[in-house]
Amino acid sequence: MYEKFIRRFFLAAVVLLLLAAGLVFVFDPFFHYHEPLGPLKAVLTKKEYQVPGTLRNFSYDSVIAGSSTAENFNNRWFDEAFGTQSVKAIKSSGVTAQLDYYVRLALQERELKYVFYSLDLFALSGDPETEFPDESMPLYLYDDNPFTDVKYLLNKDVIFEDIPYLLAETFLDDYDEGASYNWAQYHTFSRSDALANYGRPEEISPEKTEGEYRPFIDGNVDILERMVQENPDTVFYIFYPPYSLLWWDNMIRSGQLEQSLYAARASMERLLGYENVRMYYFQNEEDVILDLDLYMDPIHFNEDINRWMVEEMAQGNYRLTPENYRKELEKMEGIAERIRTDYDILTD
């Protein structure tokens, strides 16, 4: 009788495990196996878990790549402006090597029409040898080993949290699929917010030397250039998002102003000559960067700025050329000098 009980117990356990795995496979909130089925929506709120699945399994012909400054784009803005179908490839505080992994994954899976690449200056200063994905990521969603999928298929958080959330956002909250990974709705943007979230360096550090930053920046530009060279049929819209005067003040006081300006100049000089590259520079737009009511901290702006950038790029405004990029950088240098002298005490 004991043996019969044991057999039934293990049989019941196996059935329950299969049911749990089947439930995860069908609803698949991280889209590891397929796009949303039936009426389910693509509820995208966990980029570390969902980006690889969307790049492998969704229907798209273009990618929006960048850090958290790119999260508040609505995919539909690009789709309507450029006649495309886009998904996001986002890594918060992502350096160039990390975003390169995502873009190359997309290029392996699809013939991309466009890559809309939000080029952060801080990303160009990161280590070009950065390995990604690393142990901080859910590696079972990134590898091709089916045996590691057990960590997903039998994950209690997925079953009891992520699947119910997917259902609730689909049927109760009318989730906007274009607003993937959007965080603006949970924050406020004002001068007081921006100043409160800025830890201004008390001392002014000496400028870093070229030997300290140039190898990193040049290495990252190499990564971007290889991506462009190896995919001549894909058009790369590379744009520089506008950081607030607080960010530039921080660069001045931390000795990183020349490093930041070099990152912009080096990337422009190396990439502008390619026929499949379109570059746009928004960082010296004074009506934006000097208006702290548009920011929640030194670098993160509200989604109206995201939409404005899409509209301007679609119209060909703010576009860089081999003839005008030096002038645009000189304008930025002039603004930075004014920030150095006219905004001496930002916390008052």
Side-chain angles (χ1 to χ4, degrees), residues 6 20 39 74 84 94 118 136 138 158 168 210 219 261 300 302:
I6 293 296
N74 192 302
T84 189
S118 181
S136 68
V158 172
E210 281 198 19
L261 294 172
H300 294 103
N302 68 34

Side-chain angles (χ1 to χ4, degrees), residues 244-259:
S244 79
L245 68 90
L246 300 178
W247 188 86
W248 290 102
D249 176 77
N250 185 62
M251 292 300 99
I252 292 166
R253 299 183 71 84
S254 62
Q256 299 180 73
L257 178 60
E258 292 303 320
Q259 170 182 308

Side-chain angles (χ1 to χ4, degrees), residues 24-25 28 30-35 57 146 149-150 152-153:
V24 173
F25 180 85
D28 196 11
F30 297 161
F31 311 106
H32 187 54
Y33 300 108
H34 53 72
E35 288 187 285
N57 298 312
D149 285 5
V150 66
Y152 176 49
L153 293 170

Side-chain angles (χ1 to χ4, degrees), residues 194-207:
L195 289 170
N197 290 312
Y198 176 40
R200 194 186 197 206
E202 293 184 5
E203 304 293 333
I204 299 178
S205 301
E207 282 289 332

Side-chain angles (χ1 to χ4, degrees), residues 298-309:
I299 196 170
H300 294 103
F301 39 80
N302 68 34
E303 57 189 338
D304 289 339
I305 303 305
N306 292 87
R307 184 156 199 167
W308 165 73
M309 286 191 287

Side-chain angles (χ1 to χ4, degrees), residues 273-292:
Y274 289 94
E275 292 185 1
N276 60 328
V277 171
R278 313 282 186 271
M279 302 189 83
Y280 299 82
Y281 191 65
F282 298 103
Q283 295 187 335
N284 61 5
E285 178 50 71
E286 296 185 45
D287 288 343
V288 174
I289 68 171
L290 300 182
D291 184 357
L292 293 183

Side-chain angles (χ1 to χ4, degrees), residues 140-178:
Y140 57 91
L141 297 172
Y142 286 76
D143 63 30
D144 295 320
N145 183 352
F147 295 103
T148 62
D149 285 5
V150 66
K151 296 179 181 180
Y152 176 49
L153 293 170
L154 300 179
N155 189 310
K156 64 179 179 63
D157 291 335
V158 172
I159 295 170
F160 294 110
E161 295 179 15
D162 294 301
I163 290 176
Y165 183 76
L166 170 67
L167 294 172
E169 289 295 306
T170 295
F171 297 110
L172 299 179
D173 291 341
D174 195 26
Y175 177 79
D176 179 2
E177 292 180 290

Side-chain angles (χ1 to χ4, degrees), residues 207 249 252 257 335-344:
E207 282 289 332
D249 176 77
I252 292 166
L257 178 60
I335 295 172
E337 187 57 34
R338 284 168 44 210
I339 291 172
R340 184 197 304 273
T341 57
D342 297 347
Y343 296 85
D344 187 40

